[in-house]
Amino acid sequence: MGLAMSLDRKAQPYGEFMTRRAARILPGYYLVMIPYTLWCVARGTAFLSTLVWNSGLVSYWINCKGKFNWYVTGIMIFYALTPWCFRRLKQSRHREILVGGGVALGLLVCQILMRDGYWNHLDIMYRFPIFFVGLLLGLYIRQGRKVGWKDGLFWGVSLALGGVYLLA
């Protein structure tokens, strides 16, 4: 939601947007990750190649021995997708349908990953539905949108479908 509000307030070229976020997050990540990974290598609980995978933010996806963290990998993915998704959402006349489709697609991917045994990827994947909802809500707030009966219907149906999903 905050990213949507930031992009709506100030248009930024994609490279500038990513550079600002990487400059804020990656120094702290590397400050902690490098000594930790080297310590794991010294203990024999990780390979030296793990340092490369952790540094490139791909250890989460390849599930290597001694992977460091899923959160920074995940947040950088969401940062990379936000400008594109937000631009499409802002231009659309059917925002709620796009968000509903994104939520449904995200939940479908999670179900496939669970059934195929890729439990280790659900940390990030289950955040996609709320990512899309957050973009929509951020846009609503920036535009000062008033909530009408159609909005109430949309959110009510969404809540009911979410309940059905949890029960299933």
Side-chain angles (χ1 to χ4, degrees):
M1 189 168 79
L3 288 172
M5 294 172 71
S6 174
L7 284 171
D8 193 53
R9 184 175 26 252
K10 178 185 173 202
Q12 305 167 46
Y14 184 78
E16 179 183 321
F17 176 83
M18 287 302 294
T19 300
R20 289 182 60 210
R21 272 122 193 107
R24 229 179 291 158
I25 291 175
L26 295 181
Y29 171 76
Y30 289 123
L31 184 68
V32 174
M33 180 277 299
I34 291 172
Y36 172 81
T37 304
L38 291 174
W39 180 70
C40 288
V41 169
R43 287 186 46 226
T45 58
F47 301 116
L48 192 55
S49 62
T50 303
L51 184 60
V52 174
W53 303 131
N54 283 339
S55 295
L57 302 176
V58 295
S59 61
Y60 174 81
W61 299 108
I62 61 173
N63 202 23
C64 68
K65 184 179 177 183
K67 67 181 176 182
F68 177 67
N69 181 285
W70 65 269
Y71 185 77
V72 173
T73 299
I75 202 163
M76 293 306 290
I77 288 169
F78 287 115
Y79 285 156
L81 293 174
T82 297
W84 184 84
C85 291
F86 180 72
R87 193 170 33 255
R88 299 302 173 280
L89 191 63
K90 190 172 179 179
Q91 293 170 351
S92 176
R93 295 183 64 203
H94 306 287
R95 295 173 180 153
E96 293 80 7
I97 294 171
L98 279 177
V99 169
V103 168
L105 181 62
L107 294 175
L108 176 65
V109 169
C110 288
Q111 288 300 307
I112 292 168
L113 291 173
M114 277 194 290
R115 293 193 195 296
D116 290 348
Y118 293 100
W119 291 89
N120 57 310
H121 289 72
L122 294 178
D123 297 328
I124 292 175
M125 298 311 293
Y126 262 122
R127 284 164 172 76
F128 272 94
I130 198 65
F131 167 74
F132 292 119
V133 171
L135 289 178
L136 181 63
L137 291 177
L139 187 58
Y140 280 177
I141 290 169
R142 283 288 301 157
Q143 293 178 342
R145 182 177 168 143
K146 303 288 185 216
V147 178
W149 71 269
K150 288 182 181 179
D151 299 309
L153 181 63
F154 171 76
W155 293 109
V157 168
S158 298
L159 181 62
L161 289 174
V164 169
Y165 178 80
L166 287 174
L167 291 174

